[in-house]
Amino acid sequence: MHAKAIRIAANGGPEVMEYVDVDVGAPGPGEILLRQHAIGLNFIDVYFRTGLYPQPLPGGLGKEGAGVVEAVGEGVTNVQPGDRVAYAGGPNGAYADLRVMPAAVVVKLPDAISFETAAAMMLQGLTVQYLFRSTYPLQAGQTILFHAAAGGVGLIACQWARALGVQLIGTVGSKEKGELALAHGAAHVINYNDEDIVARVKDITGGAGVPVVYDSVGKDTFAASLDCLQRRGLMVSFGNASGAVEPFTPGELSKRGSLYITRPTLFDYMTNQQEVEAMSAELFEMVTSGKVTINVNQTFPLAQAAEAHRALEARRTTGSTVLLP
Ligand code: NDP
Protein backbone atom coordinates (compact mmCIF):
# COMPACT_ATOMS: atom_id res chain seq x y z
CA MET A 1 0.00 0.00 0.00
CA HIS A 2 1.09 3.56 -0.68
CA ALA A 3 1.36 6.34 1.85
CA LYS A 4 2.40 9.97 1.88
CA ALA A 5 5.08 10.65 4.45
CA ILE A 6 7.82 13.03 5.51
CA ARG A 7 11.29 11.53 5.27
CA ILE A 8 14.75 12.90 6.01
CA ALA A 9 17.91 11.62 4.32
CA ALA A 10 20.24 13.82 6.37
CA ASN A 11 20.14 15.94 9.51
CA GLY A 12 19.77 19.68 9.13
CA GLY A 13 17.26 22.54 8.96
CA PRO A 14 13.58 22.19 8.05
CA GLU A 15 14.59 21.98 4.37
CA VAL A 16 15.79 18.38 4.85
CA MET A 17 12.18 17.27 5.28
CA GLU A 18 10.83 15.73 2.08
CA TYR A 19 7.19 14.89 1.40
CA VAL A 20 7.31 11.62 -0.51
CA ASP A 21 5.40 8.49 -1.54
CA VAL A 22 6.36 5.43 0.47
CA ASP A 23 5.37 1.79 0.42
CA VAL A 24 3.72 0.47 3.55
CA GLY A 25 3.75 -3.28 4.03
CA ALA A 26 1.29 -5.41 5.96
CA PRO A 27 1.53 -5.31 9.76
CA GLY A 28 3.84 -8.00 11.17
CA PRO A 29 3.44 -9.79 14.51
CA GLY A 30 2.56 -7.27 17.25
CA GLU A 31 1.99 -4.48 14.70
CA ILE A 32 -0.98 -2.55 13.37
CA LEU A 33 -1.70 -0.66 10.15
CA LEU A 34 -3.00 2.76 11.18
CA ARG A 35 -4.84 5.31 9.01
CA GLN A 36 -3.85 8.58 10.65
CA HIS A 37 -6.28 11.50 10.80
CA ALA A 38 -4.07 13.88 12.80
CA ILE A 39 -0.40 14.01 13.79
CA GLY A 40 1.13 15.85 16.75
CA LEU A 41 4.09 18.20 16.35
CA ASN A 42 6.58 18.13 19.21
CA PHE A 43 9.90 19.75 19.96
CA ILE A 44 11.50 16.29 20.07
CA ASP A 45 10.88 16.11 16.30
CA VAL A 46 13.21 19.10 15.92
CA TYR A 47 15.92 17.33 17.95
CA PHE A 48 15.69 14.26 15.69
CA ARG A 49 15.70 16.42 12.55
CA THR A 50 18.79 18.40 13.60
CA GLY A 51 20.59 15.31 14.90
CA LEU A 52 20.75 16.46 18.53
CA TYR A 53 19.04 13.11 19.11
CA PRO A 54 20.56 10.59 16.66
CA GLN A 55 18.56 8.10 14.57
CA PRO A 56 19.41 5.88 11.57
CA LEU A 57 19.00 7.74 8.25
CA PRO A 58 17.17 7.88 5.94
CA GLY A 59 14.25 7.82 8.33
CA GLY A 60 10.90 9.22 9.34
CA LEU A 61 9.94 11.84 11.90
CA GLY A 62 7.19 12.14 14.47
CA LYS A 63 6.16 10.33 17.63
CA GLU A 64 2.45 11.05 17.96
CA GLY A 65 -0.78 10.57 16.08
CA ALA A 66 -4.40 9.49 16.12
CA GLY A 67 -6.52 7.56 13.67
CA VAL A 68 -8.31 4.33 12.83
CA VAL A 69 -6.80 0.85 12.88
CA GLU A 70 -7.08 -0.72 9.39
CA ALA A 71 -5.44 -4.07 10.06
CA VAL A 72 -3.68 -5.91 12.86
CA GLY A 73 -0.81 -8.40 12.77
CA GLU A 74 -0.49 -11.71 14.52
CA GLY A 75 -0.84 -11.68 18.29
CA VAL A 76 -2.37 -8.20 18.60
CA THR A 77 -5.10 -8.24 21.23
CA ASN A 78 -5.39 -4.69 22.56
CA VAL A 79 -7.02 -3.22 19.43
CA GLN A 80 -8.87 -4.41 16.34
CA PRO A 81 -9.68 -3.04 12.87
CA GLY A 82 -12.08 -0.10 13.11
CA ASP A 83 -10.89 1.07 16.53
CA ARG A 84 -10.17 4.76 17.06
CA VAL A 85 -6.74 4.99 18.69
CA ALA A 86 -4.01 7.45 19.64
CA TYR A 87 -0.40 7.14 20.71
CA ALA A 88 2.79 8.85 21.80
CA GLY A 89 5.98 6.89 21.30
CA GLY A 90 7.27 4.01 19.26
CA PRO A 91 9.66 4.44 16.36
CA ASN A 92 9.77 7.79 14.54
CA GLY A 93 7.47 7.91 11.53
CA ALA A 94 4.25 9.57 12.67
CA TYR A 95 4.50 12.17 9.88
CA ALA A 96 2.48 9.99 7.46
CA ASP A 97 -1.11 9.40 6.44
CA LEU A 98 -0.76 5.64 6.84
CA ARG A 99 1.81 3.68 8.85
CA VAL A 100 2.67 0.33 10.34
CA MET A 101 3.63 0.54 14.02
CA PRO A 102 3.79 -1.46 17.25
CA ALA A 103 0.35 -2.13 18.75
CA ALA A 104 1.75 -1.87 22.27
CA VAL A 105 2.04 1.92 22.20
CA VAL A 106 -1.53 2.69 21.06
CA VAL A 107 -4.56 3.13 23.27
CA LYS A 108 -8.24 3.26 22.40
CA LEU A 109 -9.55 6.78 22.23
CA PRO A 110 -12.73 7.79 24.08
CA ASP A 111 -15.45 8.92 21.64
CA ALA A 112 -15.54 12.33 23.33
CA ILE A 113 -11.98 13.11 22.19
CA SER A 114 -11.46 14.09 18.54
CA PHE A 115 -8.49 12.88 16.49
CA GLU A 116 -7.13 16.43 16.35
CA THR A 117 -7.30 16.89 20.11
CA ALA A 118 -5.79 13.45 20.68
CA ALA A 119 -2.88 14.09 18.34
CA ALA A 120 -2.26 17.38 20.11
CA MET A 121 -2.36 16.03 23.63
CA MET A 122 -0.91 12.54 23.90
CA LEU A 123 2.80 13.28 24.06
CA GLN A 124 2.51 16.64 25.81
CA GLY A 125 -0.25 15.53 28.20
CA LEU A 126 1.40 12.25 29.15
CA THR A 127 4.55 14.26 29.81
CA VAL A 128 2.74 16.50 32.29
CA GLN A 129 1.17 13.39 33.82
CA TYR A 130 4.51 11.74 34.62
CA LEU A 131 6.27 14.99 35.58
CA PHE A 132 3.58 16.00 38.08
CA ARG A 133 2.50 12.58 39.33
CA SER A 134 5.66 10.43 39.19
CA THR A 135 8.91 12.37 38.78
CA TYR A 136 7.95 14.73 41.59
CA PRO A 137 4.45 13.99 42.92
CA LEU A 138 3.01 17.44 43.53
CA GLN A 139 1.00 18.32 46.62
CA ALA A 140 -1.75 20.93 46.88
CA GLY A 141 -0.40 24.21 48.24
CA GLN A 142 3.08 23.90 46.71
CA THR A 143 4.59 26.59 44.51
CA ILE A 144 6.63 25.40 41.53
CA LEU A 145 8.58 26.89 38.61
CA PHE A 146 7.69 25.68 35.10
CA HIS A 147 9.51 27.05 32.05
CA ALA A 148 7.95 27.74 28.62
CA ALA A 149 4.50 27.89 30.19
CA ALA A 150 2.66 29.01 27.05
CA GLY A 151 3.94 26.13 24.87
CA GLY A 152 2.32 22.77 24.18
CA VAL A 153 3.48 21.06 27.35
CA GLY A 154 3.27 24.40 29.18
CA LEU A 155 -0.44 25.20 28.72
CA ILE A 156 -1.37 21.68 29.80
CA ALA A 157 0.93 22.03 32.84
CA CYS A 158 -0.69 25.35 33.86
CA GLN A 159 -4.15 23.77 33.89
CA TRP A 160 -3.06 20.51 35.53
CA ALA A 161 -1.26 22.43 38.30
CA ARG A 162 -4.37 24.51 38.95
CA ALA A 163 -6.45 21.32 39.18
CA LEU A 164 -4.00 19.96 41.78
CA GLY A 165 -4.14 23.15 43.83
CA VAL A 166 -0.52 23.98 42.97
CA GLN A 167 0.70 27.54 42.33
CA LEU A 168 2.60 27.41 39.06
CA ILE A 169 5.09 30.18 38.29
CA GLY A 170 5.48 30.06 34.50
CA THR A 171 8.21 31.59 32.39
CA VAL A 172 7.34 32.94 28.94
CA GLY A 173 8.97 34.86 26.10
CA SER A 174 6.38 37.63 25.58
CA LYS A 175 3.60 39.59 27.24
CA GLU A 176 0.93 37.84 25.15
CA LYS A 177 2.27 34.42 26.11
CA GLY A 178 2.20 35.52 29.75
CA GLU A 179 -1.47 36.43 29.46
CA LEU A 180 -2.19 33.06 27.88
CA ALA A 181 -0.42 31.16 30.68
CA LEU A 182 -2.32 33.15 33.33
CA ALA A 183 -5.62 32.48 31.58
CA HIS A 184 -4.83 28.75 31.73
CA GLY A 185 -4.14 28.69 35.43
CA ALA A 186 -0.58 29.89 36.02
CA ALA A 187 -0.50 31.75 39.33
CA HIS A 188 2.38 34.03 38.24
CA VAL A 189 4.32 34.59 35.04
CA ILE A 190 7.88 35.77 34.45
CA ASN A 191 8.94 37.11 31.05
CA TYR A 192 12.49 35.78 30.91
CA ASN A 193 13.43 38.19 28.14
CA ASP A 194 13.20 41.19 30.44
CA GLU A 195 12.84 39.92 34.02
CA ASP A 196 15.29 38.23 36.37
CA ILE A 197 13.93 34.72 36.97
CA VAL A 198 15.69 34.14 40.30
CA ALA A 199 14.78 37.53 41.78
CA ARG A 200 11.12 37.10 40.80
CA VAL A 201 10.89 33.55 42.16
CA LYS A 202 12.51 34.61 45.44
CA ASP A 203 10.12 37.55 45.63
CA ILE A 204 7.01 35.44 44.94
CA THR A 205 8.05 32.75 47.47
CA GLY A 206 9.08 35.17 50.22
CA GLY A 207 12.75 34.24 49.76
CA ALA A 208 12.17 30.50 50.15
CA GLY A 209 12.55 29.32 46.55
CA VAL A 210 10.62 26.39 45.09
CA PRO A 211 10.81 22.64 45.87
CA VAL A 212 10.88 21.68 42.18
CA VAL A 213 11.74 23.30 38.85
CA TYR A 214 10.59 21.79 35.55
CA ASP A 215 13.02 23.05 32.92
CA SER A 216 12.63 22.18 29.22
CA VAL A 217 14.43 25.27 27.92
CA GLY A 218 17.81 23.80 28.84
CA LYS A 219 20.99 25.74 28.13
CA ASP A 220 19.63 29.28 28.66
CA THR A 221 17.77 28.66 31.93
CA PHE A 222 19.70 25.85 33.63
CA ALA A 223 21.78 27.92 36.05
CA ALA A 224 18.90 30.20 37.03
CA SER A 225 16.70 27.16 37.61
CA LEU A 226 19.18 25.72 40.13
CA ASP A 227 19.27 29.10 41.89
CA CYS A 228 15.47 29.05 42.31
CA LEU A 229 15.44 25.80 44.29
CA GLN A 230 15.01 25.36 48.01
CA ARG A 231 17.52 23.30 49.95
CA ARG A 232 17.23 19.63 48.81
CA GLY A 233 14.98 20.73 45.94
CA LEU A 234 14.63 18.79 42.69
CA MET A 235 15.77 20.05 39.29
CA VAL A 236 13.82 18.31 36.55
CA SER A 237 15.72 19.00 33.33
CA PHE A 238 13.45 17.58 30.63
CA GLY A 239 14.27 19.39 27.41
CA ASN A 240 16.66 21.49 25.35
CA ALA A 241 14.63 24.03 23.39
CA SER A 242 17.50 26.56 23.66
CA GLY A 243 20.25 23.94 23.28
CA ALA A 244 21.70 21.12 25.36
CA VAL A 245 22.68 21.90 28.95
CA GLU A 246 26.43 22.36 29.31
CA PRO A 247 28.45 19.97 31.49
CA PHE A 248 28.52 20.82 35.19
CA THR A 249 30.03 19.28 38.31
CA PRO A 250 28.07 17.79 41.24
CA GLY A 251 29.57 20.56 43.38
CA GLU A 252 27.02 22.91 41.79
CA LEU A 253 24.31 20.89 43.57
CA SER A 254 25.99 20.85 46.99
CA LYS A 255 26.81 24.54 47.05
CA ARG A 256 23.17 25.41 46.41
CA GLY A 257 21.87 23.20 49.23
CA SER A 258 22.17 19.46 48.47
CA LEU A 259 19.98 19.66 45.39
CA TYR A 260 18.78 16.68 43.36
CA ILE A 261 18.68 16.54 39.59
CA THR A 262 16.92 14.22 37.14
CA ARG A 263 16.90 14.17 33.35
CA PRO A 264 13.73 12.17 32.58
CA THR A 265 12.14 11.16 29.29
CA LEU A 266 8.53 10.16 28.80
CA PHE A 267 9.45 6.85 27.22
CA ASP A 268 11.08 5.59 30.44
CA TYR A 269 7.74 6.08 32.19
CA MET A 270 5.81 4.16 29.50
CA THR A 271 7.74 0.92 29.35
CA ASN A 272 4.82 -1.49 29.06
CA GLN A 273 1.19 -1.50 28.06
CA GLN A 274 -0.01 -1.31 31.65
CA GLU A 275 1.86 1.98 32.18
CA VAL A 276 0.65 3.34 28.84
CA GLU A 277 -2.97 2.50 29.69
CA ALA A 278 -2.83 3.87 33.24
CA MET A 279 -1.17 7.16 32.27
CA SER A 280 -3.51 7.62 29.29
CA ALA A 281 -6.57 6.93 31.45
CA GLU A 282 -5.52 9.69 33.82
CA LEU A 283 -4.92 12.11 30.96
CA PHE A 284 -8.26 11.25 29.31
CA GLU A 285 -10.03 11.88 32.61
CA MET A 286 -8.38 15.31 32.97
CA VAL A 287 -9.50 16.23 29.45
CA THR A 288 -13.00 14.75 29.38
CA SER A 289 -13.77 16.26 32.80
CA GLY A 290 -12.82 19.69 31.42
CA LYS A 291 -10.03 20.26 33.97
CA VAL A 292 -7.56 20.43 31.09
CA THR A 293 -8.49 21.91 27.70
CA ILE A 294 -6.24 21.13 24.77
CA ASN A 295 -5.37 24.19 22.71
CA VAL A 296 -4.74 23.32 19.08
CA ASN A 297 -3.51 26.79 18.25
CA GLN A 298 -1.85 25.91 14.92
CA THR A 299 -2.64 23.38 12.21
CA PHE A 300 -0.60 22.72 9.06
CA PRO A 301 -1.11 20.31 6.16
CA LEU A 302 1.30 17.38 6.56
CA ALA A 303 2.95 18.44 3.29
CA GLN A 304 3.94 21.70 5.04
CA ALA A 305 5.54 20.09 8.07
CA ALA A 306 8.72 22.08 7.40
CA GLU A 307 6.75 25.31 7.92
CA ALA A 308 5.43 23.96 11.20
CA HIS A 309 8.99 23.25 12.35
CA ARG A 310 10.04 26.79 11.41
CA ALA A 311 7.20 28.27 13.45
CA LEU A 312 7.97 26.08 16.49
CA GLU A 313 11.69 26.84 16.46
CA ALA A 314 11.10 30.56 15.96
CA ARG A 315 8.87 30.56 19.08
CA ARG A 316 5.89 31.69 17.00
CA THR A 317 3.57 28.96 18.33
CA THR A 318 1.54 28.69 21.52
CA GLY A 319 -0.18 25.58 22.86
CA SER A 320 -0.18 22.56 20.57
CA THR A 321 0.35 22.18 16.82
CA VAL A 322 -1.22 19.49 14.66
CA LEU A 323 -0.32 18.27 11.15
CA LEU A 324 -3.23 17.13 8.99
CA PRO A 325 -2.67 14.43 6.34
P1 NDP B 1 6.76 24.20 23.05
O1 NDP B 1 5.45 24.40 22.40
O2 NDP B 1 6.84 24.42 24.52
O3 NDP B 1 7.83 25.08 22.31
C1 NDP B 1 9.06 25.34 22.92
C2 NDP B 1 9.03 26.70 23.66
O4 NDP B 1 10.25 26.84 24.35
C3 NDP B 1 8.93 27.89 22.75
O5 NDP B 1 7.62 28.21 22.36
C4 NDP B 1 9.56 28.98 23.59
O6 NDP B 1 8.58 29.62 24.39
C5 NDP B 1 10.51 28.20 24.50
N1 NDP B 1 11.91 28.49 24.18
C6 NDP B 1 12.81 29.05 25.01
N2 NDP B 1 13.98 29.21 24.40
C7 NDP B 1 13.83 28.78 23.13
C8 NDP B 1 14.70 28.72 22.01
N3 NDP B 1 15.97 29.16 22.07
N4 NDP B 1 14.22 28.22 20.86
C9 NDP B 1 12.96 27.77 20.77
N5 NDP B 1 12.09 27.81 21.82
C10 NDP B 1 12.52 28.30 22.99
O7 NDP B 1 7.28 22.71 22.72
P2 NDP B 1 6.72 21.33 23.28
O8 NDP B 1 5.50 21.55 24.08
O9 NDP B 1 6.70 20.36 22.17
O10 NDP B 1 7.89 20.85 24.25
C11 NDP B 1 8.31 21.67 25.33
C12 NDP B 1 9.62 21.17 25.85
O11 NDP B 1 9.42 19.97 26.58
C13 NDP B 1 10.66 20.85 24.78
O12 NDP B 1 11.94 21.24 25.25
C14 NDP B 1 10.58 19.35 24.69
O13 NDP B 1 11.75 18.77 24.21
C15 NDP B 1 10.32 18.97 26.13
N6 NDP B 1 9.68 17.67 26.27
C16 NDP B 1 10.35 16.72 26.98
C17 NDP B 1 9.79 15.50 27.22
C18 NDP B 1 10.47 14.53 28.09
O14 NDP B 1 9.87 13.52 28.46
N7 NDP B 1 11.70 14.74 28.46
C19 NDP B 1 8.49 15.13 26.62
C20 NDP B 1 7.84 16.23 25.92
C21 NDP B 1 8.43 17.44 25.76
P3 NDP B 1 8.83 31.16 24.85
O15 NDP B 1 8.82 31.97 23.59
O16 NDP B 1 7.71 31.46 25.75
O17 NDP B 1 10.18 31.16 25.51
Side-chain angles (χ1 to χ4, degrees):
M1 270 207 263
H2 286 287
K4 285 281 189 189
I6 298 283
R7 287 282 183 273
I8 59 170
N11 293 123
E15 70 284 351
V16 300
M17 297 162 68
E18 293 177 275
Y19 186 58
V20 293
D21 288 306
V22 292
D23 265 331
V24 179
E31 292 182 333
I32 59 167
L33 177 68
L34 181 64
R35 172 71 56 188
Q36 302 207 117
H37 291 271
I39 298 149
L41 176 74
N42 292 285
F43 221 94
I44 195 171
D45 307 342
V46 172
Y47 308 146
F48 278 111
R49 195 205 70 220
T50 61
L52 178 66
Y53 294 178
Q55 70 164 334
L57 295 175
L61 282 179
K63 292 235 165 269
E64 176 178 41
V68 176
V69 177
E70 288 208 341
V72 301
E74 201 187 310
V76 171
T77 53
N78 60 325
V79 290
Q80 54 189 27
D83 281 348
R84 300 171 77 247
V85 299
Y87 66 93
N92 283 346
Y95 289 10
D97 58 0
L98 186 69
R99 72 176 298 203
V100 167
M101 61 177 301
V105 299
V106 307
V107 288
K108 286 190 200 163
L109 194 57
D111 288 341
I113 300 178
S114 71
F115 290 128
E116 212 170 294
T117 297
M121 77 181 204
M122 290 299 288
L123 199 144
Q124 295 166 352
L126 292 172
T127 297
V128 175
Q129 194 282 338
Y130 88 80
L131 290 175
F132 283 7
R133 308 271 293 126
S134 297
T135 305
Y136 183 99
L138 293 173
Q139 308 283 330
Q142 288 179 317
T143 301
I144 66 169
L145 178 61
F146 200 103
H147 290 292
V153 175
L155 285 186
I156 297 173
C158 290
Q159 299 173 78
W160 204 309
R162 175 172 59 189
L164 292 172
V166 165
Q167 311 276 304
L168 181 148
I169 306 171
T171 61
V172 290
S174 71
K175 186 166 173 286
E176 295 69 31
K177 288 185 180 183
E179 282 160 9
L180 199 59
L182 288 171
H184 285 81
H188 306 271
V189 288
I190 301 173
N191 181 339
Y192 38 30
N193 291 331
D194 55 26
E195 291 183 284
D196 181 320
I197 300 173
V198 182
R200 283 289 319 280
V201 168
K202 289 285 158 73
D203 188 41
I204 292 165
T205 58
V210 291
V212 59
V213 176
Y214 296 98
D215 187 339
S216 66
V217 172
K219 190 168 185 251
D220 289 355
T221 47
F222 186 77
S225 293
L226 294 183
D227 287 338
C228 290
L229 283 164
Q230 294 170 2
R231 193 170 279 153
R232 302 196 302 270
L234 177 65
M235 168 69 169
V236 183
S237 172
F238 73 103
N240 339 264
S242 67
V245 173
E246 277 157 15
F248 71 100
T249 65
E252 297 298 321
L253 305 177
S254 66
K255 83 179 182 206
R256 289 173 170 87
S258 303
L259 303 180
Y260 295 84
I261 182 164
T262 181
R263 197 338 182 163
T265 82
L266 170 64
F267 309 114
D268 285 324
Y269 288 78
M270 301 173 60
T271 60
N272 57 52
Q273 213 168 322
Q274 212 178 349
E275 285 177 342
V276 174
E277 297 279 349
M279 292 169 68
S280 301
E282 204 176 312
L283 172 62
F284 293 160
E285 150 60 25
M286 291 302 282
V287 172
T288 53
S289 67
K291 288 182 188 146
V292 169
T293 301
I294 303 301
N295 294 271
V296 183
N297 289 355
Q298 302 76 212
T299 56
F300 290 84
L302 174 60
Q304 288 170 25
E307 272 317 303
H309 274 224
R310 287 188 185 99
L312 183 62
E313 289 178 272
R315 305 162 81 158
R316 290 197 308 266
T317 65
T318 58
S320 305
T321 303
V322 166
L323 306 175
L324 298 171

